[in-house]
Amino acid sequence: MVAELSALQQIINSLTGLNGLPAVIVQCAVTTIYTSLGGFRVSFVTDNIQGSMVVGLIVIAIITVGVETNIDRGLVESSGLLNASLLGWQLIYILPVAVCTNAFFISGFWMRTFASKTDKDLMVGVSLATAAVTCILLLVGVTGLLAAWSGAWPGDPPQEGSIALFLLLEQLPAWVVGVILVMVVSLSTAAFDSLQSAMVSTGSNDIFRNRLDTWWIRAAVVLIIFPVVVVALKSPSVLQIYLISDLLSASSIPVLVIGLSERCYWWRGLEVVVGGLGGLLTVFIFGTIYYGNAKDGAKLLLLEGGLYAEDWSVFGMGPPCLIALL
């Protein structure tokens, strides 16, 4: 939720120069109202809208970027983005582990899994979604290269690489920027309402075992949104938010998955908790040894240096998976 709101306010600020706080507040209010009235079913409707908006955004971006964007060939060589790098090889391991383990923590995925009528329907849906997401990520990822080679990124003042796509789109005609802004708000709203619905379902079913009225759970979620908005506005980078959650999931999910096997019937919550904490401890130990002091080792837990480091520090995200299993 923090990442969604943080991304929304950064994009609005980048595309329009306006303060993104009013848009964030309106989005939280609107999603809270219609998820309270429609429940999780309304989230399925907005997901369909989200899918349409993604396709529309990609089509518009491809056409307008292809027509309006001018590549400076001198920047292609000087950027060094086509050269092999230490970070590039590290990301081949880091990103799959981070994304796969983090997906286990997304309640919306589980709710849609259990909502499938049959296993066949689930496999067909996952296969189609995998193909679509692969194409979308490929196209969106390439815009980062185009933004760098056209001079749109890093910009003046320098901007986060996570919004390189929108820095590129900012240079397009005003009507295109307006359409894209509407689509971005729709995408963010559709994702945010799913997270709200998932929190309500998790709190009602998993925490209170359906013993507490749903409206009390919804009220608690509304209260949680206030600190979420504050953190989102203060967060320096959307990527850092995701990386912290990825680090937590990489340390706990491997030991959690073991319990899904019938052969490991003896696996209990204590093993999961100890294994997860052990995984996080290895990041601190790795950072302390690598940097030579405990302070920088603790900072590695928050990934204050970001992901794009030219050393082996970010590779400290790898040990949690292995140590957690051990």
Side-chain angles (χ1 to χ4, degrees):
M1 295 174 76
V2 171
E4 287 295 336
L5 297 181
S6 178
L8 177 64
Q9 68 96 11
Q10 288 186 38
I11 291 169
I12 289 179
N13 182 264
S14 174
L15 292 179
T16 66
L18 300 175
N19 185 4
L21 177 59
V24 169
I25 294 176
V26 170
Q27 173 174 298
C28 292
V30 171
T31 54
T32 299
I33 292 172
Y34 72 71
T35 53
S36 298
L37 297 176
F40 192 70
R41 291 185 177 181
V42 74
S43 181
F44 284 110
V45 176
T46 57
D47 284 344
N48 293 329
I49 298 175
Q50 181 184 32
S52 302
M53 290 295 180
V54 168
V55 174
L57 179 61
I58 294 298
V59 171
I60 292 177
I62 290 175
I63 295 174
T64 54
V65 168
V67 173
E68 299 289 340
T69 301
N70 297 315
I71 302 298
D72 185 346
R73 295 187 181 276
L75 292 176
V76 176
E77 291 293 334
S78 62
S79 66
L81 295 176
L82 297 181
N83 301 330
S85 65
L86 174 63
L87 177 62
W89 290 107
Q90 291 175 345
L91 292 180
I92 293 177
Y93 169 72
I94 294 175
L95 289 183
V97 170
V99 173
C100 290
T101 55
N102 187 258
F104 279 82
F105 267 127
I106 301 179
S107 300
F109 286 175
W110 288 105
M111 296 177 74
R112 284 160 177 76
T113 299
F114 293 126
S116 301
K117 292 183 178 180
T118 64
D119 290 344
K120 181 181 178 180
D121 293 334
L122 178 61
M123 292 300 298
V124 171
V126 169
S127 300
L128 294 175
T130 300
V133 169
T134 300
C135 295
I136 292 172
L137 291 181
L138 176 62
L139 294 172
V140 173
V142 169
T143 59
L145 299 175
L146 297 178
W149 295 341
S150 65
W153 180 84
D156 185 23
Q159 299 291 330
E160 291 287 339
S162 56
I163 60 172
L165 166 63
F166 299 98
L167 294 176
L168 180 64
L169 298 177
E170 183 185 11
Q171 300 182 341
L172 301 179
W175 70 269
V176 177
V177 174
V179 172
I180 290 172
L181 193 59
V182 172
M183 290 183 171
V184 168
V185 173
S186 300
L187 287 171
S188 180
T189 301
F192 193 76
D193 68 39
S194 295
L195 295 172
Q196 283 184 293
S197 298
M199 287 187 65
V200 172
S201 299
T202 301
S204 178
N205 184 69
D206 298 339
I207 298 178
F208 294 101
R209 301 297 181 182
N210 298 317
R211 297 174 181 174
L212 190 64
D213 188 82
T214 306
W215 285 102
W216 287 107
I217 306 295
R218 296 187 188 279
V221 172
V222 171
L223 294 177
I224 292 174
I225 290 177
F226 288 98
V228 167
V229 171
V230 174
V231 175
L233 296 177
K234 297 293 184 180
S235 59
S237 170
V238 177
L239 181 60
Q240 185 178 357
I241 299 172
Y242 278 113
L243 289 175
I244 293 174
S245 65
D246 289 340
L247 185 62
L248 294 172
S249 59
S251 66
S252 57
I253 289 302
V255 289
L256 182 65
V257 171
I258 293 177
L260 298 178
S261 173
E262 294 182 356
R263 296 181 179 180
C264 299
Y265 61 90
W266 45 272
W267 201 257
R268 295 291 185 268
L270 177 63
E271 287 80 1
V272 175
V273 173
V274 173
L277 294 176
L280 290 175
L281 180 62
T282 58
V283 177
F284 171 73
I285 295 174
F286 173 88
T288 301
I289 296 174
Y290 185 81
Y291 289 115
N293 63 84
K295 181 179 180 180
D296 289 335
K299 287 183 177 180
L300 189 59
L301 286 169
L302 299 177
L303 294 164
E304 292 190 0
L307 181 62
Y308 305 115
E310 296 298 331
D311 54 27
W312 287 92
S313 60
V314 294
F315 209 68
M317 290 185 65
C321 292
L322 302 177
I323 300 300
L325 289 174
L326 294 177

